[in-house]
Amino acid sequence: MSEVRCAALEGAADGWGTASNRADAARDRIDKQLVAGLAATQEGEVADAAVARLRGLSRNFQYVYTECGLVRTTLNSLAAELRAPQRRLREALEDARGLKFTVHEDGSVSYPAAGENTLTGEQLPGGAAAGSAVPPLLAPPQALTSPNPYAARAQEIADALARAVAEAREIDARYARALRKLTARDGLRVTDAMWADVSGDATAVRGLADEYLRDAIPADRSPAERRAWWDGLTQERREEYLAVFPAEIGNLDGIPAEARDAANRDNVRLLIGRLEELEGRGGDDERVRTRLAGLRAIDERLGAGGNPPMYLLGIGDEGNGRAIVSYGNPDTARNVSTYVPGLGTALDEDFVKNDMKRARDTAIGAQEYDRSSASIVWLGYDAPQLSAADITGNTEVMSADQARVGAVAYNEFMSGISATNENDDPHVTAVGHSYGSLTVGQAAQRPGGVPGADDIILLGSPGTGAKSADELGVGREHVFVGAAENDPVTMMPAKIEARGMATGAVGGAAVGAALGGPVGAAAGAVGGGAVAYFAQDAQADDREIWFGTDPAHEAFGAQRFRVEDGPRPVRDGGGFAAHSNYFDPVEDEESADNIALIVAGRGNEMSTQERR
């Protein structure tokens, strides 16, 4: 065991790392050059078929990249673990050599005659000590073995040798099991079942690499300190982290966007594989199906490429799901906006179709004024979920609790944006829509405000918990509000005046579900309650809405920009479009343009609207 060459294991690991990197480079070229180029320049069935084949090839290379990366880390971790018992073994052998003891192949240690028999005066004979891997506290007292003064020392050395060898054998067995799992099936096509297997492989290797890699991840440090830690790693060590701990690195604020994106692209496939395995066991879990649909939709968008380029800055299936997507690189952009969605948002297909589209529309609009702009949608918290089936007369969804929890996570993320952005003074905009505006408002009211934020945009807001824009930390002239006149969420009654809303919420949710699915149901519940309230004509103070002062009211003091009134929910048959159209350059061109101007740092050019 003393002759085990850990350096040779590390050399083999380097070879697997080279294979992993080549596969990653091939995948990157397919995704960013071939697929993107075909999608941008070619149309028709032939082009679609070619793109589908290329995406399949990209997925195969991704599989090779991940599996080879896992082998590399397994070998490196094996070498790292073996060094400790190997060092103790060599120290014990050196001790034996210094005392002129003989170490035998079976690990026993012979010692010479020494000392004197007190009764006969004869020299005490030598002997041999057989080693034991039993911990020292459980071993018999050395004094009971032999009176020869060398006996106790020989026993110590033999036991040290036995424990080192036993530890090395245990390490070898663990890693042998892990390496036997890292085998691929024959064939050129990577199947869903193989990705499920990769997910299990990654879990096994992560368990082996805790001491070698995981324990060094600065999860409890600040984003700035995490950035410094990442910058201090060798390229090889970074590659290992990306291959083995993609979830941890991909969701760690303070890690550069390129690295987070690379980690999360792999993590998406691992999550899909794990959930597909759960689904394949025959379970009838709606949550699993919903998450899978959302993850697959995101994976498809990642493979499609496009402009602005898409960066996946966070992904996870905890709670209602987590997803953070940027259009444009937030580390290099001079202008960065981070939009928080609201009521009813979860990691599902609607998130991809609606919320990701809003971020992309904002990025495209801002880039018309400044090419160096990036726009992020941040689903890093559990937004309240509400549907017609959930309404039983309670108003739990109207609580600010989830916004307060989300505010902490949002500020952590924004600290990470500040830590990784390469510009001296980037222009940062915090954007909140619906309940997300409450989350942003709560984040802005925490000590120090939203890290790095220059401007705040509140859209379709039920309030922020603040009495005035002055409480949001950026100055009232930098708080911008979009509130459509036919958006019922922006006119929700104050809590004290909300009697009778439950009945209206039930009806509104039912109408909303018919007109706009789950999101319509959620907005409908809020809007229906508000309509029921207005029917009672009980409002006493038009400044107050559910979460404090109406951001669009003159008493709040923010800048209100012009948006379309939007269709009336019932009379015009518009459902809740007025609550959802703020970002849409087709449905509300002026609102979308005003948002783009603010995000690009040109808020002084927006068109204004009289405050309420």
Side-chain angles (χ1 to χ4, degrees):
M1 185 250 177
S2 65
E3 301 302 320
V4 172
R5 293 181 297 167
C6 292
L9 290 172
E10 291 169 333
D14 289 342
W16 285 98
T18 299
S20 178
N21 291 338
R22 287 176 177 171
D24 189 41
R27 177 190 63 171
D28 192 63
R29 182 164 182 257
I30 290 170
D31 289 346
K32 295 183 178 179
Q33 295 182 32
L34 300 181
V35 171
L38 269 175
T41 61
Q42 305 294 321
E43 294 182 357
E45 293 182 5
V46 174
D48 292 343
V51 167
R53 293 286 296 274
L54 285 170
R55 285 178 180 165
L57 183 59
S58 171
R59 187 163 297 179
N60 290 355
F61 277 122
Q62 184 177 9
Y63 177 86
V64 173
Y65 159 75
T66 301
E67 287 283 84
C68 289
L70 292 177
V71 174
R72 171 180 58 186
T73 296
T74 301
L75 293 174
N76 276 332
S77 186
L78 171 61
E81 280 205 54
L82 282 177
R83 278 198 167 90
Q86 186 180 60
R87 183 182 66 255
R88 289 192 289 273
L89 182 75
R90 286 173 174 170
E91 289 172 351
L93 291 172
E94 188 62 31
D95 289 344
R97 189 177 298 110
L99 292 168
K100 295 183 169 50
F101 293 172
T102 301
V103 177
H104 302 284
E105 288 187 6
D106 63 358
S108 62
V109 178
S110 297
Y111 53 91
E116 184 178 283
N117 188 312
T118 56
L119 295 177
T120 66
E122 296 178 354
Q123 190 177 40
L124 294 169
S132 171
V134 176
L137 292 177
L138 302 178
Q142 297 291 346
L144 300 180
T145 59
S146 169
N148 185 316
Y150 285 137
R153 189 72 184 101
Q155 189 65 53
E156 290 176 1
I157 292 172
D159 289 347
L161 292 171
R163 285 193 291 270
V165 170
E167 183 181 353
R169 285 174 175 165
E170 186 277 328
I171 292 170
D172 179 71
R174 279 193 289 115
Y175 280 89
R177 288 193 297 270
L179 286 169
R180 279 193 291 269
K181 282 179 59 64
L182 295 173
T183 57
R185 302 175 188 176
D186 292 336
L188 297 176
R189 182 174 177 269
V190 177
T191 64
D192 291 341
M194 292 170 70
W195 271 112
D197 186 58
V198 170
S199 179
D201 293 346
T203 300
V205 174
R206 282 195 291 271
L208 295 171
D210 279 356
E211 183 177 348
Y212 174 60
L213 289 176
R214 187 200 293 270
D215 291 349
I217 298 175
D220 58 348
R221 308 299 289 273
S222 71
E225 289 171 319
R226 294 168 187 162
R227 170 66 191 270
W229 168 76
W230 183 260
D231 287 347
L233 297 176
T234 64
Q235 183 60 29
E236 179 184 359
R237 187 55 57 88
R238 290 178 191 168
E239 290 166 0
E240 287 194 84
Y241 274 115
L242 292 175
V244 183
F245 293 104
E248 288 79 358
I249 298 303
N251 291 288
L252 194 62
D253 298 320
I255 301 300
E258 293 276 5
R260 291 181 73 162
D261 178 64
N264 286 317
R265 285 173 185 257
D266 293 324
N267 195 30
V268 164
R269 289 304 316 164
L270 294 175
L271 285 170
I272 290 173
R274 185 172 64 81
L275 292 177
E276 284 175 338
E277 184 178 16
L278 290 174
E279 186 182 45
R281 293 174 184 170
D284 186 22
D285 190 334
E286 182 62 29
R287 178 185 177 278
V288 170
R289 289 195 294 271
T290 298
R291 294 290 171 274
L292 263 176
L295 289 167
R296 287 167 175 159
I298 288 175
D299 188 46
E300 183 178 347
R301 295 290 175 91
L302 287 168
N307 193 38
M310 179 177 164
Y311 292 80
L312 189 58
L313 305 181
I315 197 73
D317 67 343
E318 62 268 32
N320 295 325
R322 302 287 186 268
I324 306 171
V325 179
S326 179
Y327 288 95
N329 188 335
D331 291 349
T332 59
R334 286 189 299 270
N335 306 293
V336 181
S337 68
T338 304
Y339 145 58
V340 183
L343 188 66
T345 310
L347 178 53
D348 53 21
E349 288 182 290
D350 283 338
F351 172 80
V352 177
K353 294 175 183 176
N354 299 321
D355 297 290
M356 283 174 53
K357 179 182 182 299
R358 289 168 182 165
R360 186 172 185 271
D361 285 342
T362 298
I364 292 172
Q367 287 182 7
E368 291 181 1
Y369 296 105
D370 187 339
R371 294 297 302 170
S372 185
S373 297
S375 176
I376 301 167
V377 54
W378 182 86
L379 181 59
Y381 79 125
D382 283 328
Q385 304 296 301
L386 195 62
S387 68
D390 297 324
I391 305 296
T392 58
N394 68 69
T395 54
E396 238 176 70
V397 72
M398 306 308 181
S399 167
D401 291 346
Q402 286 159 289
R404 294 189 188 102
V405 173
V408 176
Y410 182 69
N411 279 355
E412 178 86 354
F413 176 78
M414 296 300 279
S415 290
I417 293 296
S418 295
T420 58
N421 191 278
E422 299 168 6
N423 294 280
D424 291 335
D425 186 21
H427 174 253
V428 177
T429 306
V431 184
H433 174 240
S434 190
Y435 188 89
S437 68
L438 174 64
T439 304
V440 169
Q442 292 294 299
Q445 292 172 77
R446 292 185 61 78
V450 177
D454 299 288
D455 294 318
I456 291 175
I457 301 176
L458 307 171
L459 301 162
S461 178
T464 64
K467 291 184 178 180
S468 79
D470 296 324
E471 298 176 29
L472 302 186
V474 294
R476 61 173 52 201
E477 69 277 7
H478 291 285
V479 178
F480 302 89
V481 176
E485 285 305 306
N486 290 322
D487 180 353
V489 176
T490 70
M491 297 183 180
M492 289 176 62
K495 294 180 183 179
I496 197 171
E497 301 165 335
R499 292 180 181 178
M501 282 186 64
T503 301
V506 173
V511 173
L515 295 173
V519 174
V526 178
V531 170
Y533 169 78
F534 292 139
Q536 296 178 3
D537 196 23
Q539 190 161 351
D541 187 345
D542 65 356
R543 293 175 299 179
E544 295 300 310
I545 54 176
W546 193 267
F547 294 113
T549 305
D550 177 6
H553 198 280
E554 61 182 359
F556 194 75
Q559 296 198 64
R560 187 181 183 190
F561 58 86
R562 185 172 297 282
V563 304
E564 294 287 343
D565 288 347
R568 289 170 294 187
V570 178
R571 289 188 184 181
D572 298 335
F576 294 89
H579 185 63
S580 304
N581 286 344
Y582 296 102
F583 298 88
D584 196 317
V586 175
E587 298 296 334
D588 194 340
E589 181 179 4
E590 191 163 21
S591 174
D593 189 56
N594 283 326
I595 293 170
L597 281 165
I598 298 165
V599 168
R602 297 168 62 171
N604 60 313
E605 300 177 28
M606 70 176 193
S607 59
T608 60
Q609 186 169 355
E610 184 179 357
R611 292 177 288 195
R612 290 172 178 164

